[in-house]
Amino acid sequence: MTNLIFEWCFNHQVSPALAQDSLDAAGDHYATLPLRWENAYLAVNGRAMVAHAVTPALTDPPPQPPYGAGSALCPWSASVHLADTSDAPNVLVERTFDSAVTLDAIQAIEDAGISCLEMRGVKFIQTFFSLDRTRMLCLYKAPDAESVRSAQSEARVPYQRVWSYNELTIVS
């Protein structure tokens, strides 16, 4: 199975129903794969969404998805790394790298700053790491996004955006 990550940036606040419409449109677009949605995370402000799907192994990169309620970046294949499943995550950290990095290199930076996370009540849960090693999404359980942002900055762990989200119940 191949893990695919889809990202949407919405020009306006969308409801969970409109977010579901975007998932449905992507599912229809990729009906030949087929996709099985695993998780979808809608930003609390309704302006961004990330979804994780699995599909049989791909030989070619997937085509550009439909725009739907917002623009979607071309999906990317990822490996999934779980640290803990006992807590439900609620904050997502987006990372991009100019050149390929290793998971071990980023993990070493994060490990060095573990006290920064612990001081703020932040717990790492899961990572989606692109197979080309230039993108990473990390899920955390935390009091709020600012706690994660502060911990990442103090530990000098690179990130582009940090946002709180609600996990969507996906309707198949």
Side-chain angles (χ1 to χ4, degrees), residues 37-104:
W37 295 110
E38 295 290 315
N39 311 91
Y41 312 106
L42 179 63
V44 170
N45 68 8
R47 308 241 349 183
M49 181 172 66
V50 168
H52 169 217
V54 295
T55 188
L58 295 174
T59 55
D60 296 313
Q64 177 70 31
Y67 286 103
S71 62
L73 299 176
C74 202
W76 43 277
S77 300
S79 57
V80 179
H81 307 272
L82 288 168
D84 189 348
T85 58
S86 63
D87 287 321
N90 62 335
V91 176
L92 186 142
V93 174
E94 298 177 37
R95 305 181 203 287
T96 58
F97 310 102
D98 292 332
S99 58
V101 298
T102 65
L103 185 61
D104 291 341

Side-chain angles (χ1 to χ4, degrees), residues 102-164:
T102 65
L103 185 61
D104 291 341
I106 298 302
Q107 188 63 52
I109 297 169
E110 183 112 2
D111 289 348
I114 194 74
S115 63
C116 299
L117 295 173
E118 291 171 348
M119 279 181 9
R120 291 170 179 79
V122 175
K123 186 176 183 181
F124 168 74
I125 305 295
Q126 183 174 15
T127 290
F128 300 103
F129 189 45
S130 67
L131 297 183
D132 70 1
R133 302 180 337 202
T134 62
R135 295 187 57 73
M136 180 183 281
L137 301 174
C138 299
L139 306 180
Y140 293 88
K141 174 67 176 170
D144 53 39
E146 186 54 38
S147 299
V148 177
R149 195 176 294 111
S150 295
Q152 299 290 288
S153 294
E154 187 174 322
R156 293 181 166 44
V157 182
Y159 67 89
Q160 272 60 55
R161 293 192 319 162
V162 176
W163 42 276
S164 296

Side-chain angles (χ1 to χ4, degrees), residues 6 8 10 15-32 34-37 39-40 49 51 53 65-69 72 168-172:
F6 293 78
W8 283 265
F10 302 107
S15 66
L18 283 175
Q20 179 68 51
D21 289 347
S22 291
L23 291 171
D24 292 344
D28 291 346
H29 185 72
Y30 293 105
T32 59
L35 291 179
R36 185 180 77 231
W37 295 110
N39 311 91
M49 181 172 66
Y67 286 103
L168 296 177
T169 301
I170 300 171
V171 179
S172 299

